[in-house]
Amino acid sequence: MIDVLVVDDDFRVAEINAKYVGKVPGFRVAARAHSAAQALSAVERGGIDLVLLDHYLPDRTGLELVHRMREQGHGTDVIMITAASDVTTVQKAMRLGALHYLVKPFTFAALRTRLDSYAALRRTVDRVGGRGLAGQEQVDRIFGALRTAPAPSSPGLPSGQSEPTTDLICGVLHRAEHPLSAHEVAAETGLSRSTAQRYLRHLEQAGRLRLSLKYGDTGRPEHRYAWVAP
């Protein structure tokens, strides 16, 4: 499990974000904080893998908090979640090592896409880390794990299908290192297998995915889907 610290000065917003995190498989909320001081104390206690950090806090800004964390040697990962959208703040966040920057207001699907890419990054680093040294291909995989797929540009979706769910499935396949079955996509997204299959079929027909067949012992081929770069 990836333990998350949710930081927001608004108690209601912090609770909403915490509920969002709890809905993503593999993530759990370890603590909430409503000020920079509370957040720093939580990080210092240990056990925090990722901080979802607001910029506007009552005692200091989120970026000042990140700077303080780095000064003290805390390498805890950070995703900024804030209404601050000026370029200067975004650049500072990048320079301090924020892995993603999500501007309020946002949807659950948008947050989940960032969390999924963060989980993919950790898996990739774990696989590469056992080798001690990383070649260019492994380095590219590490950096590529954080990329999020753009929302589908097709104007029309079949009845009952939504853009956020389509975006979520595209993000999973965009980051995958090999073709995935409907069962695997369902496990990654938290959707039912039948729902994942409907979306995959539409995306394949729209040319967004490539379909291949994998034959097993039963003789019935398994449909597997791979991302098609635009």
Side-chain angles (χ1 to χ4, degrees), residues 39-116:
L40 186 58
S41 295
V43 171
E44 289 174 339
R45 287 194 296 269
I48 301 297
D49 300 306
L50 175 67
V51 180
L52 299 186
L53 181 60
D54 188 17
H55 181 58
Y56 298 119
L57 299 174
D59 46 353
R60 65 172 69 187
T61 68
L63 293 186
E64 288 173 343
L65 170 61
V66 177
H67 182 69
R68 182 63 175 160
M69 287 167 51
R70 301 304 183 238
E71 281 186 335
Q72 294 186 358
H74 300 298
T76 311
D77 293 321
V78 174
I79 293 179
M80 298 296 297
I81 298 182
T82 177
S85 58
D86 59 284
V87 174
T88 299
T89 302
V90 174
Q91 287 180 326
K92 287 181 178 178
M94 293 175 61
R95 290 166 182 161
L96 286 170
L99 297 178
H100 279 300
Y101 197 106
L102 190 57
V103 178
K104 296 177 181 178
F106 57 90
T107 64
F108 167 63
L111 176 59
R112 178 162 188 169
T113 298
R114 273 73 179 176
L115 294 179
D116 284 340

Side-chain angles (χ1 to χ4, degrees), residues 85-229:
S85 58
D86 59 284
V87 174
T88 299
T89 302
V90 174
Q91 287 180 326
K92 287 181 178 178
M94 293 175 61
R95 290 166 182 161
L96 286 170
L99 297 178
H100 279 300
Y101 197 106
L102 190 57
V103 178
K104 296 177 181 178
F106 57 90
T107 64
F108 167 63
L111 176 59
R112 178 162 188 169
T113 298
R114 273 73 179 176
L115 294 179
D116 284 340
S117 72
Y118 174 71
L121 171 67
R122 288 173 62 97
R123 290 193 299 268
T124 303
V125 170
D126 287 343
R127 286 195 297 267
V128 174
R131 306 171 189 173
L133 295 175
Q136 186 62 54
E137 180 181 354
Q138 287 74 35
V139 171
D140 289 343
R141 284 184 180 180
I142 292 173
F143 277 86
L146 279 175
R147 295 173 187 157
T148 56
S153 57
S154 54
L157 286 173
S159 176
Q161 294 190 14
S162 69
E163 292 282 354
T165 303
T166 302
D167 189 23
L168 176 62
I169 291 176
C170 287
V172 167
L173 288 161
H174 184 262
R175 295 186 298 274
E177 298 179 3
H178 52 76
L180 301 179
S181 66
H183 176 76
E184 291 169 325
V185 171
E188 286 284 339
T189 59
L191 301 170
S192 68
R193 185 184 183 282
S194 60
T195 298
Q197 185 64 64
R198 287 200 308 273
Y199 279 83
L200 290 168
R201 187 179 301 114
H202 169 71
L203 290 166
E204 188 268 328
Q205 292 173 351
R208 304 296 300 275
L209 305 178
R210 181 177 65 254
L211 172 64
S212 60
L213 301 179
K214 180 181 179 181
Y215 290 87
D217 297 333
T218 62
R220 184 177 181 180
E222 179 184 54
H223 290 200
R224 301 184 70 83
Y225 298 86
W227 178 259
V228 177

